[in-house]
Amino acid sequence: MADYKWPAAENRSLIGKRISRLDGPLKSSGRAKYSFDVNRPGMLYGKMILSPYAHAKVTKIDTTAAEKMPGVKAVTLIWEVGKEVQWAGQEIAAVAAETEDQARDAARAIKVEYEVLPHLVTDATPQQAGADHSKQLSEQKTGDPDPAFAQAAATIEGTYGSPVITHCCLESHGQVTEWQGDQLTVWASTQAVSNLAGEYAPAMEIPAGNVHIITPVMGGGFGSKFNSDVWGFACARLSKKSGRAVKMLLERDHELMVAGARPSIYAKVKVAAKADGTLVAWKSESWGTAGPGSAGNPTLPYVFRPENRSSRHTAISTNIGPARAWRAPNHPQMALITMSALEDLAAAVPMDPLDFFLKNIELTGTLAKVYKEELLKAAELMDWKKKWHPRGQMVAGPIQRGLGLSLHTWGGGGHQSNCNCTIHPDGSVEVSLGSQDLGTGARTVIGIVAAETLGLPLEAVKVNIGDNHYPASGASGGSTTVGGVSSSTRRAANNALNELLAKVAPSLGGDAEQLEAVGGVIRVKGDTSKFLPWKQACAKLASTPITAAGQTSKDLISSGVGGVQMAEVSVDMETGVVRVEKMVAAQDCGLVINLKTAESQVYGAFIMGITYALHEEKIMDQQTGRCLNADMEFYKLAGLGDIGELVVHMMTGPGYDDRGVIGLGEPPVISPGAVISNAVANAIGVRVPTLPITPSKVLAALESKGAKA
Amino acid sequence: MSDHRSNGSGNGPGNPGKADNANPENAKPEKGVSRRSFIKGAGVAVSAVTMLREGLLSPTAAAADAKVAGPGAIAMTLKINGQAHKITAEPRLTLLDALRNNLDITGAKKVCDRATCGACTVLMDGKAIYACTLLAIDAQGHDLQTIEGLSAEGALHPIEAAFVDHDAQQCGFCTPGFVMAAKSFLDAHPQPTREQVTKGFGGNFCRCGTYVGVREAVLDAAGRMRGGRA
């Protein structure tokens, strides 16, 4: 019988290698069909009318004119008269028409009247926002920071922050819906294929079994696509009313206004160390907004746990739009605040931050050994000791270089996943589960695990995912997919193989316990003369395929990773322009299934991180309450010319592989803001207190430094 | 005409060989009006108004002279990947919507919908353009190539193969735009330097962060295409 435990390094033929993603050819040739690309016979286009006000009560909705517009087949209300909207961009009503332009015209013809109410869209402090808009979410205290500060050799105080940013998925949120009788099909751009039927069913008053969710590929989610959303239900109602399929994907401005935002954070920090660099006390007061709700509750300080520490966080409710989980919720904000303050403290001691972080490494707890190895590896790849200079030490000329570093952590344990593995009598193999591939490479991981388990080449396995008719398997959030699907697939394939081995045992000496599947054959362990090629072995099944199930298996996975990043930047002191010259990551994620797509996750996280460190901000207009940059000209993403040299080192081998599989999507996106901010401070001798680090903020920081001098 | 035009967005350093949508030499409408002829037509209309006021022209003649297409649906013919496609649509239809909605040619994606991100990149007479900001009527009379025309079903163009090998894609939504931009770029720069590649793709954006793979894929594809494997 085959053992389901992960194979030892010397026995792995696919796991841990660099393997091209299975859907790569479909994607790069433009043949992959996203929800946005689904065109059904007779399909209509849906468009919505949105509230232009950030805070208002709807007093009248009149759709009469819109219903008579050319091409219009259905109109549905999303909001009600008398209900208050809490952000500009709130959906009020939707129409379906023959063409997109007709639908847009008709949505505009819906007359909505409002009683406009006062709004708050600025990133206010709790004092500015006032009691009505402030809610203290947490207060923690360990030890006693105040006496510790009094005895410390070095103490710094600083204010740091990061504004609200958006998800900006390239495939906007939305879906195509179609009814056949009381059966609803939804081609949804979602991170939660197996969960959506449970949301549509009560809303549409049909059993969940009547809802078919299909998402073979999807164009980015980053935490913002877990639910059906109001546009999903509106689309289904438009379909129902018109008797036609309806496509309704959000327009870009709508996407940026409401379909995802990461809460802001600002913090006043006081932190102190002994003369030898030992961290002794931390005190912070932080606040931030997640829109009208109170999501976003950081635990400070991050990663390091000094003996004496206290922190308090207040959520500010505003009308900027709703927050959604953004890749590694809370962590990039916590890393920015903590690592900025710690590097400022190291500069005050004064000490090389690499030595400072190593000095305090035991304060990180159980991951201390991992962090230490990663710090040393990253320092080697960055050539840190040669390049580092004390903060503010300048060279001649306008261009100054600097280094920064940061540590991060994440859970990444596996979600609940069910997988079926079917071995057909003709030798073909299918693995099926409901989870989706957001572009992380989940589909390929599933194929690799099944093929490795069955001793087959990757192309011998057909991977069926992204459909709720396959076994229920978790949503893709919190880096939980790889652990869930790799372990359920391993168990399912192993169970199917054991059934096959039992069937073929009579032809190979009778003892299934002595059989193994390796290199495309079923053979007797230790006796290379006794084997059956895979196809002949499967032919023993006669006419009935084997289907075996597997579930998430806790003994194949783990959680809790550590990562270290370093950045080298150059700053033009005359223009304030920051360039990322080089970034290095040393990242742990347990057993790597596919090294190629694992590295891509880290490269991608670097680039997303460069973007939020230097460019991203959801800019709100205080007067009108609207988002001023709900487009891609002014909501800026980094381009190919902005990335510098990126170096990724995955921590693998003994001590890492044996922890089992752990998720990787979130961890590497946590530190980039902190490392770039720290590198800029090192380069120019002064902290730019908030992200994004724009040229004007750099120049303002230099000016304030000049004023102090 | 420069091969590295600014895309005017202020977001990137330049664009790989984007054709000028409003270039009068490229605008040869068979039906309807191009921007240039619209402006010329407007001039005619103004003078026609003057003539009408002075009783020199009948109202019917003035209207006929302006030749404004629409606003109702009109017939158009688009030559895409070597094949003529007839559609009937309002003249305000963009080329991107014509491809995606009227013809079910969905490789070019709609993302920013205003000539910033490059996800809708197709080739017009061999030059990369943003299909989201060109009217379909203005694309008539030109040779259009979409990603569907780059390789036969089941086969990969060397650029597409290089994108797979270098994992220059994650969610993949920006990828067809990058591949078409790469086609235009490599046609103009068959032996690009790393620096040229870095500067040449400022008109395409990716959210997952695949630029490291894209840069390697473009350099590798250049070699594959020079090696006669195209």
PDB file of all heavy atoms in Angstrom, chain A residues 62-95:
ATOM      1  N   ASP A  62     -37.141  56.765  -9.552  1.00  0.00           N
ATOM      2  CA  ASP A  62     -38.132  56.683 -10.644  1.00  0.00           C
ATOM      3  C   ASP A  62     -37.477  56.032 -11.865  1.00  0.00           C
ATOM      4  O   ASP A  62     -36.581  56.604 -12.483  1.00  0.00           O
ATOM      5  CB  ASP A  62     -38.619  58.098 -10.980  1.00  0.00           C
ATOM      6  CG  ASP A  62     -39.665  58.073 -12.091  1.00  0.00           C
ATOM      7  OD1 ASP A  62     -40.014  56.971 -12.584  1.00  0.00           O
ATOM      8  OD2 ASP A  62     -40.118  59.159 -12.486  1.00  0.00           O
ATOM      9  N   THR A  63     -37.947  54.833 -12.185  1.00  0.00           N
ATOM     10  CA  THR A  63     -37.344  54.095 -13.300  1.00  0.00           C
ATOM     11  C   THR A  63     -38.205  54.143 -14.565  1.00  0.00           C
ATOM     12  O   THR A  63     -37.881  53.494 -15.558  1.00  0.00           O
ATOM     13  CB  THR A  63     -37.136  52.611 -12.907  1.00  0.00           C
ATOM     14  OG1 THR A  63     -38.425  52.033 -12.632  1.00  0.00           O
ATOM     15  CG2 THR A  63     -36.252  52.461 -11.692  1.00  0.00           C
ATOM     16  N   THR A  64     -39.304  54.928 -14.524  1.00  0.00           N
ATOM     17  CA  THR A  64     -40.256  54.931 -15.645  1.00  0.00           C
ATOM     18  C   THR A  64     -39.590  55.244 -16.982  1.00  0.00           C
ATOM     19  O   THR A  64     -39.778  54.515 -17.966  1.00  0.00           O
ATOM     20  CB  THR A  64     -41.367  55.985 -15.399  1.00  0.00           C
ATOM     21  OG1 THR A  64     -41.602  56.068 -13.992  1.00  0.00           O
ATOM     22  CG2 THR A  64     -42.633  55.618 -16.109  1.00  0.00           C
ATOM     23  N   ALA A  65     -38.801  56.311 -16.996  1.00  0.00           N
ATOM     24  CA  ALA A  65     -38.172  56.717 -18.258  1.00  0.00           C
ATOM     25  C   ALA A  65     -37.192  55.646 -18.733  1.00  0.00           C
ATOM     26  O   ALA A  65     -37.139  55.316 -19.926  1.00  0.00           O
ATOM     27  CB  ALA A  65     -37.468  58.052 -18.076  1.00  0.00           C
ATOM     28  N   ALA A  66     -36.432  55.092 -17.785  1.00  0.00           N
ATOM     29  CA  ALA A  66     -35.422  54.098 -18.145  1.00  0.00           C
ATOM     30  C   ALA A  66     -36.059  52.865 -18.776  1.00  0.00           C
ATOM     31  O   ALA A  66     -35.528  52.285 -19.732  1.00  0.00           O
ATOM     32  CB  ALA A  66     -34.628  53.701 -16.907  1.00  0.00           C
ATOM     33  N   GLU A  67     -37.207  52.469 -18.244  1.00  0.00           N
ATOM     34  CA  GLU A  67     -37.875  51.265 -18.756  1.00  0.00           C
ATOM     35  C   GLU A  67     -38.286  51.393 -20.216  1.00  0.00           C
ATOM     36  O   GLU A  67     -38.412  50.399 -20.925  1.00  0.00           O
ATOM     37  CB  GLU A  67     -39.098  50.943 -17.881  1.00  0.00           C
ATOM     38  CG  GLU A  67     -38.698  50.232 -16.595  1.00  0.00           C
ATOM     39  CD  GLU A  67     -39.767  50.295 -15.519  1.00  0.00           C
ATOM     40  OE1 GLU A  67     -40.956  50.318 -15.876  1.00  0.00           O
ATOM     41  OE2 GLU A  67     -39.399  50.335 -14.337  1.00  0.00           O
ATOM     42  N   LYS A  68     -38.499  52.654 -20.649  1.00  0.00           N
ATOM     43  CA  LYS A  68     -38.947  52.882 -22.038  1.00  0.00           C
ATOM     44  C   LYS A  68     -37.784  53.128 -22.998  1.00  0.00           C
ATOM     45  O   LYS A  68     -37.999  53.384 -24.173  1.00  0.00           O
ATOM     46  CB  LYS A  68     -39.887  54.095 -22.066  1.00  0.00           C
ATOM     47  CG  LYS A  68     -41.202  53.832 -21.346  1.00  0.00           C
ATOM     48  CD  LYS A  68     -42.036  55.106 -21.280  1.00  0.00           C
ATOM     49  CE  LYS A  68     -43.237  54.923 -20.365  1.00  0.00           C
ATOM     50  NZ  LYS A  68     -43.663  56.204 -19.773  1.00  0.00           N
ATOM     51  N   MET A  69     -36.593  53.081 -22.495  1.00  0.00           N
ATOM     52  CA  MET A  69     -35.427  53.396 -23.347  1.00  0.00           C
ATOM     53  C   MET A  69     -35.184  52.262 -24.342  1.00  0.00           C
ATOM     54  O   MET A  69     -35.521  51.105 -24.088  1.00  0.00           O
ATOM     55  CB  MET A  69     -34.181  53.571 -22.470  1.00  0.00           C
ATOM     56  CG  MET A  69     -34.276  54.693 -21.452  1.00  0.00           C
ATOM     57  SD  MET A  69     -33.940  56.326 -22.138  1.00  0.00           S
ATOM     58  CE  MET A  69     -32.165  56.217 -22.327  1.00  0.00           C
ATOM     59  N   PRO A  70     -34.546  52.596 -25.480  1.00  0.00           N
ATOM     60  CA  PRO A  70     -34.286  51.576 -26.500  1.00  0.00           C
ATOM     61  C   PRO A  70     -33.462  50.412 -25.953  1.00  0.00           C
ATOM     62  O   PRO A  70     -32.467  50.640 -25.260  1.00  0.00           O
ATOM     63  CB  PRO A  70     -33.483  52.323 -27.576  1.00  0.00           C
ATOM     64  CG  PRO A  70     -33.715  53.764 -27.330  1.00  0.00           C
ATOM     65  CD  PRO A  70     -34.064  53.926 -25.876  1.00  0.00           C
ATOM     66  N   GLY A  71     -33.884  49.212 -26.263  1.00  0.00           N
ATOM     67  CA  GLY A  71     -33.111  48.019 -25.924  1.00  0.00           C
ATOM     68  C   GLY A  71     -33.280  47.517 -24.509  1.00  0.00           C
ATOM     69  O   GLY A  71     -32.784  46.450 -24.155  1.00  0.00           O
ATOM     70  N   VAL A  72     -33.994  48.256 -23.650  1.00  0.00           N
ATOM     71  CA  VAL A  72     -34.098  47.871 -22.240  1.00  0.00           C
ATOM     72  C   VAL A  72     -35.063  46.700 -22.078  1.00  0.00           C
ATOM     73  O   VAL A  72     -36.169  46.705 -22.594  1.00  0.00           O
ATOM     74  CB  VAL A  72     -34.560  49.072 -21.384  1.00  0.00           C
ATOM     75  CG1 VAL A  72     -34.857  48.636 -19.944  1.00  0.00           C
ATOM     76  CG2 VAL A  72     -33.477  50.149 -21.390  1.00  0.00           C
ATOM     77  N   LYS A  73     -34.638  45.670 -21.365  1.00  0.00           N
ATOM     78  CA  LYS A  73     -35.470  44.469 -21.173  1.00  0.00           C
ATOM     79  C   LYS A  73     -35.850  44.241 -19.709  1.00  0.00           C
ATOM     80  O   LYS A  73     -36.787  43.495 -19.435  1.00  0.00           O
ATOM     81  CB  LYS A  73     -34.717  43.224 -21.679  1.00  0.00           C
ATOM     82  CG  LYS A  73     -34.383  43.269 -23.157  1.00  0.00           C
ATOM     83  CD  LYS A  73     -35.639  43.255 -24.024  1.00  0.00           C
ATOM     84  CE  LYS A  73     -35.284  43.560 -25.470  1.00  0.00           C
ATOM     85  NZ  LYS A  73     -36.473  43.863 -26.286  1.00  0.00           N
ATOM     86  N   ALA A  74     -35.111  44.824 -18.788  1.00  0.00           N
ATOM     87  CA  ALA A  74     -35.462  44.641 -17.370  1.00  0.00           C
ATOM     88  C   ALA A  74     -34.798  45.724 -16.531  1.00  0.00           C
ATOM     89  O   ALA A  74     -33.724  46.221 -16.866  1.00  0.00           O
ATOM     90  CB  ALA A  74     -34.998  43.270 -16.876  1.00  0.00           C
ATOM     91  N   VAL A  75     -35.498  46.086 -15.458  1.00  0.00           N
ATOM     92  CA  VAL A  75     -34.967  47.052 -14.495  1.00  0.00           C
ATOM     93  C   VAL A  75     -35.179  46.468 -13.109  1.00  0.00           C
ATOM     94  O   VAL A  75     -36.213  45.849 -12.852  1.00  0.00           O
ATOM     95  CB  VAL A  75     -35.700  48.420 -14.611  1.00  0.00           C
ATOM     96  CG1 VAL A  75     -35.159  49.414 -13.585  1.00  0.00           C
ATOM     97  CG2 VAL A  75     -35.572  48.986 -16.026  1.00  0.00           C
ATOM     98  N   THR A  76     -34.232  46.644 -12.217  1.00  0.00           N
ATOM     99  CA  THR A  76     -34.433  46.162 -10.845  1.00  0.00           C
ATOM    100  C   THR A  76     -33.849  47.156  -9.850  1.00  0.00           C
ATOM    101  O   THR A  76     -32.836  47.795 -10.132  1.00  0.00           O
ATOM    102  CB  THR A  76     -33.815  44.753 -10.639  1.00  0.00           C
ATOM    103  OG1 THR A  76     -34.173  44.269  -9.354  1.00  0.00           O
ATOM    104  CG2 THR A  76     -32.300  44.774 -10.752  1.00  0.00           C
ATOM    105  N   LEU A  77     -34.511  47.292  -8.733  1.00  0.00           N
ATOM    106  CA  LEU A  77     -34.013  48.187  -7.690  1.00  0.00           C
ATOM    107  C   LEU A  77     -33.017  47.438  -6.810  1.00  0.00           C
ATOM    108  O   LEU A  77     -33.190  46.252  -6.518  1.00  0.00           O
ATOM    109  CB  LEU A  77     -35.162  48.697  -6.811  1.00  0.00           C
ATOM    110  CG  LEU A  77     -36.200  49.592  -7.491  1.00  0.00           C
ATOM    111  CD1 LEU A  77     -37.185  50.128  -6.454  1.00  0.00           C
ATOM    112  CD2 LEU A  77     -35.543  50.750  -8.237  1.00  0.00           C
ATOM    113  N   ILE A  78     -31.987  48.147  -6.390  1.00  0.00           N
ATOM    114  CA  ILE A  78     -31.021  47.568  -5.453  1.00  0.00           C
ATOM    115  C   ILE A  78     -31.180  48.238  -4.087  1.00  0.00           C
ATOM    116  O   ILE A  78     -31.044  47.606  -3.061  1.00  0.00           O
ATOM    117  CB  ILE A  78     -29.583  47.744  -5.989  1.00  0.00           C
ATOM    118  CG1 ILE A  78     -29.415  46.985  -7.311  1.00  0.00           C
ATOM    119  CG2 ILE A  78     -28.552  47.274  -4.966  1.00  0.00           C
ATOM    120  CD1 ILE A  78     -28.086  47.189  -8.009  1.00  0.00           C
ATOM    121  N   TRP A  79     -31.470  49.505  -4.084  1.00  0.00           N
ATOM    122  CA  TRP A  79     -31.632  50.274  -2.847  1.00  0.00           C
ATOM    123  C   TRP A  79     -33.109  50.621  -2.669  1.00  0.00           C
ATOM    124  O   TRP A  79     -33.897  50.483  -3.612  1.00  0.00           O
ATOM    125  CB  TRP A  79     -30.791  51.550  -2.932  1.00  0.00           C
ATOM    126  CG  TRP A  79     -30.309  52.050  -1.613  1.00  0.00           C
ATOM    127  CD1 TRP A  79     -30.658  53.212  -1.003  1.00  0.00           C
ATOM    128  CD2 TRP A  79     -29.359  51.424  -0.745  1.00  0.00           C
ATOM    129  NE1 TRP A  79     -29.992  53.347   0.188  1.00  0.00           N
ATOM    130  CE2 TRP A  79     -29.192  52.270   0.380  1.00  0.00           C
ATOM    131  CE3 TRP A  79     -28.644  50.217  -0.800  1.00  0.00           C
ATOM    132  CZ2 TRP A  79     -28.333  51.942   1.446  1.00  0.00           C
ATOM    133  CZ3 TRP A  79     -27.794  49.897   0.241  1.00  0.00           C
ATOM    134  CH2 TRP A  79     -27.634  50.750   1.352  1.00  0.00           C
ATOM    135  N   GLU A  80     -33.464  51.076  -1.462  1.00  0.00           N
ATOM    136  CA  GLU A  80     -34.864  51.437  -1.207  1.00  0.00           C
ATOM    137  C   GLU A  80     -34.986  52.908  -0.850  1.00  0.00           C
ATOM    138  O   GLU A  80     -34.067  53.474  -0.263  1.00  0.00           O
ATOM    139  CB  GLU A  80     -35.414  50.678   0.010  1.00  0.00           C
ATOM    140  CG  GLU A  80     -35.320  49.217  -0.032  1.00  0.00           C
ATOM    141  CD  GLU A  80     -35.503  48.608   1.366  1.00  0.00           C
ATOM    142  OE1 GLU A  80     -36.014  49.277   2.283  1.00  0.00           O
ATOM    143  OE2 GLU A  80     -35.115  47.439   1.496  1.00  0.00           O
ATOM    144  N   VAL A  81     -36.157  53.442  -1.137  1.00  0.00           N
ATOM    145  CA  VAL A  81     -36.461  54.806  -0.709  1.00  0.00           C
ATOM    146  C   VAL A  81     -36.482  54.829   0.817  1.00  0.00           C
ATOM    147  O   VAL A  81     -37.014  53.910   1.450  1.00  0.00           O
ATOM    148  CB  VAL A  81     -37.823  55.255  -1.293  1.00  0.00           C
ATOM    149  CG1 VAL A  81     -38.292  56.559  -0.638  1.00  0.00           C
ATOM    150  CG2 VAL A  81     -37.719  55.420  -2.797  1.00  0.00           C
ATOM    151  N   GLY A  82     -35.883  55.865   1.385  1.00  0.00           N
ATOM    152  CA  GLY A  82     -35.861  56.005   2.847  1.00  0.00           C
ATOM    153  C   GLY A  82     -34.582  55.488   3.479  1.00  0.00           C
ATOM    154  O   GLY A  82     -34.294  55.781   4.638  1.00  0.00           O
ATOM    155  N   LYS A  83     -33.791  54.712   2.709  1.00  0.00           N
ATOM    156  CA  LYS A  83     -32.575  54.119   3.270  1.00  0.00           C
ATOM    157  C   LYS A  83     -31.373  55.048   3.001  1.00  0.00           C
ATOM    158  O   LYS A  83     -31.281  55.629   1.925  1.00  0.00           O
ATOM    159  CB  LYS A  83     -32.364  52.767   2.577  1.00  0.00           C
ATOM    160  CG  LYS A  83     -31.614  51.733   3.383  1.00  0.00           C
ATOM    161  CD  LYS A  83     -31.728  50.371   2.695  1.00  0.00           C
ATOM    162  CE  LYS A  83     -30.589  49.453   3.063  1.00  0.00           C
ATOM    163  NZ  LYS A  83     -30.560  48.247   2.248  1.00  0.00           N
ATOM    164  N   GLU A  84     -30.480  55.121   3.984  1.00  0.00           N
ATOM    165  CA  GLU A  84     -29.311  56.002   3.847  1.00  0.00           C
ATOM    166  C   GLU A  84     -28.162  55.310   3.118  1.00  0.00           C
ATOM    167  O   GLU A  84     -27.813  54.180   3.468  1.00  0.00           O
ATOM    168  CB  GLU A  84     -28.802  56.418   5.233  1.00  0.00           C
ATOM    169  CG  GLU A  84     -29.497  57.611   5.810  1.00  0.00           C
ATOM    170  CD  GLU A  84     -28.889  58.025   7.145  1.00  0.00           C
ATOM    171  OE1 GLU A  84     -27.698  57.761   7.399  1.00  0.00           O
ATOM    172  OE2 GLU A  84     -29.646  58.610   7.944  1.00  0.00           O
ATOM    173  N   VAL A  85     -27.588  55.975   2.156  1.00  0.00           N
ATOM    174  CA  VAL A  85     -26.353  55.462   1.553  1.00  0.00           C
ATOM    175  C   VAL A  85     -25.186  55.980   2.374  1.00  0.00           C
ATOM    176  O   VAL A  85     -25.241  57.079   2.910  1.00  0.00           O
ATOM    177  CB  VAL A  85     -26.197  55.867   0.062  1.00  0.00           C
ATOM    178  CG1 VAL A  85     -27.358  55.358  -0.756  1.00  0.00           C
ATOM    179  CG2 VAL A  85     -26.049  57.362  -0.104  1.00  0.00           C
ATOM    180  N   GLN A  86     -24.141  55.160   2.468  1.00  0.00           N
ATOM    181  CA  GLN A  86     -23.000  55.495   3.331  1.00  0.00           C
ATOM    182  C   GLN A  86     -21.719  55.780   2.546  1.00  0.00           C
ATOM    183  O   GLN A  86     -20.679  56.031   3.145  1.00  0.00           O
ATOM    184  CB  GLN A  86     -22.738  54.352   4.322  1.00  0.00           C
ATOM    185  CG  GLN A  86     -23.842  54.152   5.349  1.00  0.00           C
ATOM    186  CD  GLN A  86     -23.959  55.313   6.336  1.00  0.00           C
ATOM    187  OE1 GLN A  86     -22.999  56.044   6.555  1.00  0.00           O
ATOM    188  NE2 GLN A  86     -25.141  55.499   6.911  1.00  0.00           N
ATOM    189  N   TRP A  87     -21.794  55.663   1.228  1.00  0.00           N
ATOM    190  CA  TRP A  87     -20.608  56.010   0.432  1.00  0.00           C
ATOM    191  C   TRP A  87     -21.043  56.331  -1.002  1.00  0.00           C
ATOM    192  O   TRP A  87     -22.071  55.830  -1.477  1.00  0.00           O
ATOM    193  CB  TRP A  87     -19.575  54.888   0.416  1.00  0.00           C
ATOM    194  CG  TRP A  87     -20.094  53.556  -0.022  1.00  0.00           C
ATOM    195  CD1 TRP A  87     -20.329  53.133  -1.303  1.00  0.00           C
ATOM    196  CD2 TRP A  87     -20.445  52.445   0.828  1.00  0.00           C
ATOM    197  NE1 TRP A  87     -20.788  51.838  -1.308  1.00  0.00           N
ATOM    198  CE2 TRP A  87     -20.873  51.383  -0.015  1.00  0.00           C
ATOM    199  CE3 TRP A  87     -20.427  52.242   2.213  1.00  0.00           C
ATOM    200  CZ2 TRP A  87     -21.282  50.150   0.484  1.00  0.00           C
ATOM    201  CZ3 TRP A  87     -20.843  51.006   2.699  1.00  0.00           C
ATOM    202  CH2 TRP A  87     -21.259  49.980   1.840  1.00  0.00           C
ATOM    203  N   ALA A  88     -20.240  57.194  -1.638  1.00  0.00           N
ATOM    204  CA  ALA A  88     -20.496  57.502  -3.048  1.00  0.00           C
ATOM    205  C   ALA A  88     -20.158  56.266  -3.857  1.00  0.00           C
ATOM    206  O   ALA A  88     -19.085  55.678  -3.678  1.00  0.00           O
ATOM    207  CB  ALA A  88     -19.638  58.680  -3.483  1.00  0.00           C
ATOM    208  N   GLY A  89     -21.067  55.890  -4.721  1.00  0.00           N
ATOM    209  CA  GLY A  89     -20.874  54.660  -5.492  1.00  0.00           C
ATOM    210  C   GLY A  89     -21.808  53.560  -5.026  1.00  0.00           C
ATOM    211  O   GLY A  89     -21.816  52.460  -5.604  1.00  0.00           O
ATOM    212  N   GLN A  90     -22.608  53.827  -3.988  1.00  0.00           N
ATOM    213  CA  GLN A  90     -23.598  52.836  -3.554  1.00  0.00           C
ATOM    214  C   GLN A  90     -24.559  52.568  -4.716  1.00  0.00           C
ATOM    215  O   GLN A  90     -25.079  53.489  -5.341  1.00  0.00           O
ATOM    216  CB  GLN A  90     -24.382  53.370  -2.343  1.00  0.00           C
ATOM    217  CG  GLN A  90     -25.574  52.521  -1.957  1.00  0.00           C
ATOM    218  CD  GLN A  90     -25.170  51.134  -1.458  1.00  0.00           C
ATOM    219  OE1 GLN A  90     -24.406  51.019  -0.507  1.00  0.00           O
ATOM    220  NE2 GLN A  90     -25.649  50.100  -2.110  1.00  0.00           N
ATOM    221  N   GLU A  91     -24.815  51.288  -4.993  1.00  0.00           N
ATOM    222  CA  GLU A  91     -25.677  50.914  -6.099  1.00  0.00           C
ATOM    223  C   GLU A  91     -27.138  51.181  -5.738  1.00  0.00           C
ATOM    224  O   GLU A  91     -27.592  50.795  -4.662  1.00  0.00           O
ATOM    225  CB  GLU A  91     -25.489  49.422  -6.428  1.00  0.00           C
ATOM    226  CG  GLU A  91     -24.056  49.022  -6.750  1.00  0.00           C
ATOM    227  CD  GLU A  91     -23.145  48.892  -5.522  1.00  0.00           C
ATOM    228  OE1 GLU A  91     -23.646  48.912  -4.377  1.00  0.00           O
ATOM    229  OE2 GLU A  91     -21.922  48.800  -5.712  1.00  0.00           O
ATOM    230  N   ILE A  92     -27.864  51.830  -6.655  1.00  0.00           N
ATOM    231  CA  ILE A  92     -29.262  52.172  -6.391  1.00  0.00           C
ATOM    232  C   ILE A  92     -30.217  51.295  -7.209  1.00  0.00           C
ATOM    233  O   ILE A  92     -31.223  50.810  -6.715  1.00  0.00           O
ATOM    234  CB  ILE A  92     -29.521  53.666  -6.713  1.00  0.00           C
ATOM    235  CG1 ILE A  92     -28.530  54.563  -5.958  1.00  0.00           C
ATOM    236  CG2 ILE A  92     -30.971  54.038  -6.400  1.00  0.00           C
ATOM    237  CD1 ILE A  92     -28.650  54.531  -4.446  1.00  0.00           C
ATOM    238  N   ALA A  93     -29.901  51.113  -8.482  1.00  0.00           N
ATOM    239  CA  ALA A  93     -30.764  50.309  -9.348  1.00  0.00           C
ATOM    240  C   ALA A  93     -29.941  49.813 -10.532  1.00  0.00           C
ATOM    241  O   ALA A  93     -28.858  50.327 -10.794  1.00  0.00           O
ATOM    242  CB  ALA A  93     -31.940  51.142  -9.842  1.00  0.00           C
ATOM    243  N   ALA A  94     -30.474  48.799 -11.209  1.00  0.00           N
ATOM    244  CA  ALA A  94     -29.750  48.236 -12.354  1.00  0.00           C
ATOM    245  C   ALA A  94     -30.706  47.990 -13.510  1.00  0.00           C
ATOM    246  O   ALA A  94     -31.903  47.749 -13.299  1.00  0.00           O
ATOM    247  CB  ALA A  94     -29.075  46.924 -11.947  1.00  0.00           C
ATOM    248  N   VAL A  95     -30.161  48.062 -14.713  1.00  0.00           N
ATOM    249  CA  VAL A  95     -30.965  47.783 -15.911  1.00  0.00           C
ATOM    250  C   VAL A  95     -30.237  46.759 -16.770  1.00  0.00           C
ATOM    251  O   VAL A  95     -29.019  46.641 -16.703  1.00  0.00           O
ATOM    252  CB  VAL A  95     -31.200  49.048 -16.768  1.00  0.00           C
ATOM    253  CG1 VAL A  95     -31.803  50.158 -15.934  1.00  0.00           C
ATOM    254  CG2 VAL A  95     -29.914  49.513 -17.412  1.00  0.00           C
TER     255      VAL A  95
END
